[in-house]
Amino acid sequence: MNNPRSNFSSAFGCPIQIPKQNSNVPPSLPVPVGVFGVPLRSGCSNQMAFCAPELTDRKPEHEQKVSKRLNDREEDKDEAAACSLDNQYDRKIRPCIDLVDSLRKLDIGNDLMLPAIAVIGDRNSGKSSVLEALSGVALPRDKGVITRCPLELKLKKMTAPQEWKGVIYYRNTEIQLQNASEVKKAIRKAQDIVAGTNGSISGELISLEIWSPDVPDLTLIDLPGIAREAVGNQPQDNGQQIKTLLKKYIGCKETIIVVVVPCNVDIATTEALKMAQEVDPTGERTLGVLTKPDLVNEGTEETVLKIVQNEVIPLRKGYMIVKCYGQMDFCNELSFTSTIQQEREFFETHKHFSTLLDENKATIPHLANKLTDELVGRIIKTLPAIEKQVHDALQQAKKELQKYTQSTHPTVSDKTIFLVGLIKAFNEDISQTMHGKESWFGNEIRLFPKIRREFRTWGVKLLESSAKVEEIVCSKLPKYEDQYRGREFPDFISYWTFEDIIKEQITKLEEPAVAMLNKVIYMVEEKFLQLANKRFANFQNLNNAAQERALKKR
C-alpha cells in the first residue's frame, strides 16, 4: 500500500505530518520512562526501577523503599515543579490526533469510522475526576446526571510558554475562555441550551479545546454516566436514553473504551463494564480505570491488585489505577504539580499498591501516557483504512459532479443568457402541456388523458344524481297537488318549488365535486413539479423557487 502520508497530502491538498515508525518496531508509541513531576535523570534508572516484592512479611523492606523514593523525589523537587503534565510524550503525536480531530470537526465521522477514546462509567464512579485530572479544569458536579451531552475534550500541549486558553463549541456558537475557572460555567450553559434545563439527555456533541502546558496531547469523548433511575425532574426514560447514546459511541469498532470503576465496589456488578462487554466481548478495545483507591476497605487490597493484574475480568488493554484530586482541591486552588505529587506519594507509600507504580499501572501521568499511546497507535493502524474510505468517498463525489454537465459561465452576461434560456425552456414545456402536446416516454400518460378520466368518473356521478332528482320530483308531485298547488295547471310544479328540490340535490354533490377538483389540482401540480425537476434539477435554488410558486397557488 502507498505511503499514507503522501496519499493524504494529495487527497486533502495539504501536507499531513505523521510520525515515522521504525520498521523493526511495532506501530505504537514508546512509553518514556519519565512521568509527571518525577522525571528520570540519566544514571538514576537503578534508583527508580524497583522490583515488586512479595506481599507477605515485607514491612521493613517496604519502609526502606518508601524512604528511598521520598529522598530521591526531594532531590528532584525543583526539577519536578517545572515538569509539565506530558513531558514524556513524543511531540510528533499531535499531527496524528489533529488529523482525526479535523475530520471529525467536518462531520466526516458520520461516514468514516474514526478512532476515538470514549470514557464511560456508572454514576459516581469518579469519571469526572479522572477527566478533571487529565484536563486540569473543573467540570460541572451537580446532583444526578452531570454529563448530559457527549463532551469532546481536545487537550493540546503548548510547547512555548503561553497562558492557558480554551474554546467551547456547540451548535453555531463559539465561546473563548480566558482561564480554567470559566470552563464549568460554560459547559453547564452549553448543556442547558443543547439538552434543556430539565435534566434531559441529548446526543448533540459539545466540543471543548484546551491549550495548556499542563495537559497531554489527547482527545477524549466524555459520555453521560449510567443511571439506573431518574433523579428529580429528569425524564423517566433517562436511563434508556443514556444507554442508547453510549452504545452509539462505544459500538464503533475503532473506538477505545475507557471504563471507570471505583475500587470500593464489586467490579462484576458495574453497568459500564457490562455495556463494554456487550460491544467488545473479547475486551480488545477496553481499558479499565480503577478510582478511589483511598476508599478501599482494609483487607480487600489483594482483590484490587488481582483486578489490576487482569486476573478477575481480563481485558486486552488491561487496567490502570488512579487517585484523583477532588473538587475541594480546585476550590483551594491546589497547584497542578502538587496534586500530581500527592497522587504519586500516595502510591509510593502504600503498602500494597506501590508495586503497581513500578509497573506503570498507577497514577494519572501513566494513564495519560497509556491513553495517548493507544489512541495514536490506533490512528496509525487505521490510517490505510481511513485513506481508502476517503478515496472511495472522493470518487463518489466525482461521479455526482459529473451529473452537473452544464459548464460554468464566467461573466454576468453569460449567466443571464443561460438563466433566461433555462426559464424559456421551462415555459415552453408548460405551454406544450397546456395544449396536450408534452413529450412522454414508455407507458407514461399525458396530463389531459389523466384529467379526462377523472371527469368521466364525475360524469357517471352526475347521471346518477340526475336520475335521483327525477325520482324525487315524481315522488313529491302528489304531495304538492294535495297541499301546495295554487293557480298552476295540474301536474305542473311552480318554478320556486322545483328550484328548492334541485338546490337540495346540488348541495349533496358539493363534497364529491371538491374532492374531484382537488384530484385534478394535484395532477396539475405534480406535472408542474416534474417539469421543474426536468429543467432545474442541477440548480437547487431555482428548483425550490419554482416548486414554491407552484404549491403557493393552491
Side-chain angles (χ1 to χ4, degrees), residues 414-424 536 542:
D414 291 340
K415 293 177 182 178
T416 303
I417 294 173
F418 178 73
L419 178 61
V420 170
L422 275 178
I423 297 176
K424 181 179 179 181
F536 307 142
L542 193 58

Side-chain angles (χ1 to χ4, degrees), residues 6-198:
S6 60
N7 291 337
F8 265 88
S9 298
S10 60
F12 289 96
C14 59
I16 298 174
Q17 298 295 328
I18 297 176
K20 297 181 180 179
Q21 296 291 315
N22 190 327
S23 59
N24 298 323
V25 180
S28 61
L29 294 179
V31 180
V33 179
V35 292
F36 311 65
V38 191
L40 292 184
R41 299 166 297 167
S42 59
C44 70
S45 57
N46 293 333
Q47 297 177 3
M48 297 296 291
F50 302 104
C51 299
E54 295 295 329
L55 296 178
T56 58
D57 193 21
R58 64 174 203 170
K59 183 174 181 181
E61 181 183 0
H62 173 73
E63 290 180 350
Q64 291 176 6
K65 292 171 65 178
V66 169
S67 177
K68 188 175 187 336
R69 283 193 179 108
L70 293 177
N71 289 336
D72 288 341
R73 191 158 57 82
E74 283 298 323
E75 294 175 3
D76 293 338
K77 188 172 183 181
D78 293 337
E79 184 178 357
C83 181
S84 62
L85 186 65
D86 66 332
N87 275 347
Q88 77 275 30
Y89 294 135
D90 186 348
R91 299 186 186 280
K92 294 183 179 180
I93 65 178
R94 186 71 247 170
C96 286
I97 300 177
D98 283 341
L99 171 62
V100 174
D101 287 347
S102 62
L103 293 175
R104 188 178 292 110
K105 192 172 183 179
L106 294 171
D107 288 335
I108 295 180
N110 296 331
D111 303 313
L112 305 182
M113 297 177 64
L114 300 178
I117 297 179
V119 185
I120 65 174
D122 292 8
R123 186 186 293 175
N124 299 324
S125 62
K127 178 171 63 70
S128 294
S129 297
V130 172
L131 295 171
E132 287 176 341
L134 290 169
S135 63
V137 297
L139 300 176
R141 288 175 179 261
D142 302 321
K143 293 182 179 179
V145 180
I146 298 172
T147 304
R148 298 191 289 119
C149 307
L151 176 63
E152 183 184 39
L153 280 170
K154 297 180 181 179
L155 309 178
K156 299 184 179 182
K157 162 74 177 175
M158 292 191 304
T159 54
Q162 298 178 12
E163 294 184 357
W164 185 98
K165 185 176 70 171
V167 182
I168 188 168
Y169 305 92
Y170 56 95
R171 293 188 175 174
N172 295 323
T173 303
E174 175 181 332
I175 299 176
Q176 300 288 334
L177 306 175
Q178 301 303 321
N179 55 72
S181 62
E182 299 176 2
V183 171
K184 184 194 299 185
K185 182 179 179 181
I187 293 177
R188 185 180 287 113
K189 179 181 178 181
Q191 289 189 150
D192 288 344
I193 292 175
V194 172
T197 57
N198 63 341

Side-chain angles (χ1 to χ4, degrees), residues 257-367:
I257 309 170
V258 176
V259 182
V260 180
V261 182
C263 289
N264 58 343
V265 302
D266 184 1
I267 189 172
T269 63
T270 56
E271 290 288 334
L273 189 57
K274 290 179 181 178
M275 287 193 64
Q277 289 175 322
E278 289 179 10
V279 298
D280 182 30
T282 61
E284 183 178 356
R285 300 187 287 117
T286 306
L287 170 68
V289 176
L290 301 183
T291 60
K292 306 178 181 181
D294 52 324
L295 301 182
V296 174
N297 294 328
E298 187 176 355
T300 61
E301 294 89 352
E302 295 292 342
T303 302
V304 175
L305 283 174
K306 288 182 179 180
I307 293 174
V308 181
Q309 298 297 346
N310 225 5
E311 297 177 5
V312 180
I313 301 180
L315 300 175
R316 292 283 185 90
K317 297 189 181 301
Y319 292 83
M320 302 284 291
I321 185 170
V322 297
K323 180 184 179 298
C324 304
Y325 44 94
Q327 192 74 1
M328 289 301 299
D329 294 324
F330 280 106
C331 297
N332 296 332
E333 297 183 352
L334 191 64
S335 70
F336 199 74
T337 304
S338 298
T339 57
I340 294 298
Q341 290 176 352
Q342 285 183 7
E343 182 194 34
R344 185 176 183 87
E345 181 179 352
F346 171 82
F347 284 104
E348 284 179 338
T349 58
H350 200 283
K351 181 178 179 180
H352 298 277
F353 298 154
S354 59
T355 58
L356 300 177
L357 186 63
D358 301 330
E359 299 170 7
N360 293 340
K361 293 182 178 179
T363 72
I364 286 294
H366 287 138
L367 173 61

Side-chain angles (χ1 to χ4, degrees), residues 369-420:
N369 189 69
K370 172 77 171 176
L371 291 176
T372 305
D373 186 26
E374 292 290 347
L375 178 59
V376 176
R378 184 162 289 270
I379 291 174
I380 295 174
K381 181 179 178 181
T382 57
L383 276 180
I386 295 176
E387 179 187 13
K388 183 180 183 303
Q389 292 179 60
V390 171
H391 177 75
D392 292 344
L394 181 62
Q395 295 302 316
Q396 183 63 31
K398 288 181 178 179
K399 289 181 180 180
E400 291 292 328
L401 286 174
Q402 290 176 359
K403 297 179 181 179
Y404 299 87
T405 56
Q406 300 288 352
S407 60
T408 57
H409 303 276
T411 66
V412 175
S413 177
D414 291 340
K415 293 177 182 178
T416 303
I417 294 173
F418 178 73
L419 178 61
V420 170

Side-chain angles (χ1 to χ4, degrees), residues 502-515:
I502 295 301
K503 282 183 177 180
E504 182 180 349
Q505 297 307 308
I506 290 177
T507 302
K508 293 179 180 179
L509 290 173
E510 182 178 357
E511 184 175 346
V514 172

